[in-house]
Amino acid sequence: IGGVENSPPAPAAFSAGENETSRQNMPECKVWRNPLNLFRGAEYSRYMWVTGKEPLTYYDMNLSAQDHQNFFTCDTDALRPSDTVMQKAWRERNPQARIKAAHQALELNNDCATAYVLLAEEEATTIVDAERYFKQALKAGEMIYRKSQNCHSQSPQHEAQLRRDTNVLVYVKRRLAMCARKLGRIREAVKMMRDLMKEFPLLSMLNIHENLLEALLELQAYADVQAVLAKYDDISLPKSAAICYTAALLKARAVSERFSPETASKRGLSTAEINAVEAIHRAVEFNPHVPKYLLEMKSLVLPPEHILKRGDSEAVAYAFFHLQHWKRIEGALNLLHCTWEGTFRMIPYPLEKGHLFYPYPSCTETADRELLPTFHEVSVYPQKELPFFIHFTAGLCSFSAMLALLTHQFPELMVVFAKAVSVVPVLGDLWES
């Protein structure tokens, strides 16, 4: 969890699986929780009420249900009636049944933090209401966390309880920071995220730094953004579209305002322009789906609750939150438009060999179709283009089959047609003579 093979165990257990280094070394199609995922009641449900379209897939919601059971339950839940009720609530498929169970848990114990979390996520129809629930969850969660800290060394069950209570506390603080960000209190959100990262430094796999990057970009605090990148854009750490494209954005910012493709083709690229172009190529190699969303060549949908790194789901999630930051820097999108396709000349066979990263995983299309709604046209990379002779052969076979079918169905009509076609060249010869 800490990122290296021999690191000490972290006090929280948000993510099951291999350590960070093995994730970086194995280009598997591992699904990650979206660091900036929206609120079910206040955002996803409102979209469905307005459009009539379901923004989340069953697969995505099922993964979230598994996450909630891992984050918010433990073996000692049977000791507290309210936690027993919530344990069943997280397994419940029906949203109304989950909300009803959360209210039942609060009737049993008014300090049940996980019940407030569920109500904030699913019952609250505005961010203001969600924040109010999360503040109640924070008050209850801090009290329970302090109790768990005092007795966590007594038994393995108490250690499990401390991990669960830590998970709840971290989750609530992060969501409160996201509420502040959505309500326009950006500096407050940044402070909350920084404090959270200091308080729980071993939880880097939660990608809280991606929330921090987006908030700092909104403040246009580019020096602070660079400082965060210096820490997390490291060769030993897993990459993401947010890391790679933010690094490209900062380099593009230095040259984009004065960049002109006509001028650059005459005098050549300067050192700063070369650095910016290389950063864009690096970002595009990591996730080739992003540019079409940033350049508004493809329409966006609400991002899913889980993403596949290097896949279309990650591209949707990144562009949904970061398109405004690219638009704010004059000329950045123009530089991206002029240079992003040059990446593909360096990696003619991306499934076999990469340039700066591992070969592009071939399983992304299948996983993205499970994560993204059916009304969204999933971006596929690399495009499977058939050779010309296959198109020609297919067309010829189709034409021959059509003639055979018409001849079988209308033999007399086809005989007349064949005679008419044979007469045309004879008439042409007579006219010339």
Side-chain angles (χ1 to χ4, degrees), residues 77-131:
D77 283 346
L79 302 176
R80 294 185 285 196
S82 59
D83 288 339
T84 303
V85 173
M86 288 308 300
Q87 195 173 48
K88 295 178 182 178
W90 295 121
R91 297 191 183 120
E92 181 61 57
R93 290 187 179 183
N94 187 290
Q96 294 305 316
R98 287 196 296 271
I99 293 171
K100 183 179 179 181
H103 283 293
Q104 289 174 352
L106 288 174
E107 290 175 2
L108 295 170
N109 177 14
N110 195 44
D111 292 325
C112 183
T114 53
Y116 287 119
V117 168
L118 192 149
L119 295 177
E121 292 288 351
E122 302 199 28
E123 186 180 56
T125 56
T126 66
I127 301 298
V128 173
D129 291 340
E131 184 180 42

Side-chain angles (χ1 to χ4, degrees), residues 15-256:
S15 176
E18 310 83 21
N19 59 54
E20 296 293 337
T21 306
S22 64
R23 288 195 191 107
Q24 176 72 359
N25 292 337
M26 296 183 67
E28 297 178 348
C29 286
K30 175 179 170 57
V31 174
W32 298 69
R33 191 162 178 84
N34 182 2
L36 286 84
N37 66 303
L38 305 177
F39 293 84
R40 285 266 184 103
E43 292 172 307
Y44 289 120
S45 294
R46 289 169 70 90
Y47 175 85
M48 186 171 65
W49 296 338
V50 172
T51 65
K53 297 178 180 179
E54 177 60 68
L56 295 174
T57 64
Y58 174 78
Y59 175 68
D60 193 16
M61 290 189 287
N62 189 48
L63 289 175
S64 295
Q66 294 176 30
D67 289 341
H68 294 150
Q69 291 175 55
N70 290 332
F71 297 170
F72 304 138
T73 63
C74 68
D75 295 336
T76 62
D77 283 346
L79 302 176
R80 294 185 285 196
S82 59
D83 288 339
T84 303
V85 173
M86 288 308 300
Q87 195 173 48
K88 295 178 182 178
W90 295 121
R91 297 191 183 120
E92 181 61 57
R93 290 187 179 183
N94 187 290
Q96 294 305 316
R98 287 196 296 271
I99 293 171
K100 183 179 179 181
H103 283 293
Q104 289 174 352
L106 288 174
E107 290 175 2
L108 295 170
N109 177 14
N110 195 44
D111 292 325
C112 183
T114 53
Y116 287 119
V117 168
L118 192 149
L119 295 177
E121 292 288 351
E122 302 199 28
E123 186 180 56
T125 56
T126 66
I127 301 298
V128 173
D129 291 340
E131 184 180 42
R132 177 170 52 82
Y133 276 127
F134 275 124
K135 285 181 178 178
Q136 292 175 285
L138 178 63
K139 182 180 177 181
E142 286 180 330
M143 181 178 64
I144 297 170
Y145 176 70
R146 284 193 295 269
K147 289 181 181 178
S148 298
Q149 275 187 313
N150 294 331
C151 57
H152 76 277
S153 58
Q154 295 179 7
S155 67
Q157 288 78 15
H158 285 96
E159 289 184 8
Q161 188 171 323
L162 175 62
R163 283 196 298 271
R164 190 276 306 276
D165 294 337
T166 305
N167 289 344
V168 173
L169 187 62
V170 173
Y171 185 92
V172 169
K173 287 187 174 184
R174 180 183 197 163
R175 292 304 252 178
L176 276 172
M178 293 173 71
C179 286
R181 163 67 184 92
K182 292 173 185 291
L183 294 172
R185 307 194 307 269
I186 316 296
R187 296 189 185 279
E188 179 186 340
V190 167
K191 183 181 184 304
M192 294 171 72
M193 292 171 194
R194 289 191 187 279
D195 291 344
L196 186 57
M197 293 165 69
K198 286 179 182 177
E199 188 177 359
F200 302 97
L202 295 177
L203 298 182
S204 60
M205 86 292 296
L206 299 182
N207 298 322
I208 300 173
H209 58 274
E210 294 194 14
N211 299 83
L212 180 60
L213 280 174
E214 196 281 325
L216 289 172
L217 286 170
E218 181 64 21
L219 288 175
Q220 301 183 49
Y222 297 114
D224 292 335
V225 172
Q226 186 61 61
V228 174
L229 286 176
K231 182 177 181 181
Y232 291 98
D233 193 5
D234 184 84
I235 193 170
S236 64
L237 295 176
K239 297 294 178 288
S240 67
I243 291 288
C244 295
Y245 277 90
T246 302
L249 178 61
L250 291 192
K251 285 191 166 62
R253 175 175 171 267
V255 299
S256 61

Side-chain angles (χ1 to χ4, degrees), residues 304-344:
E305 293 183 334
H306 291 80
I307 58 172
L308 183 67
K309 287 195 175 183
R310 307 188 73 179
D312 190 35
S313 52
E314 184 191 36
V316 168
Y318 172 79
F320 185 86
F321 292 101
H322 288 262
L323 175 58
Q324 58 181 329
H325 306 314
W326 280 81
K327 286 183 173 181
R328 186 178 291 125
I329 296 176
E330 186 177 352
L333 289 174
N334 177 50
L335 180 60
L336 177 69
H337 174 73
C338 295
T339 57
W340 74 279
E341 290 181 320
T343 310
F344 307 125

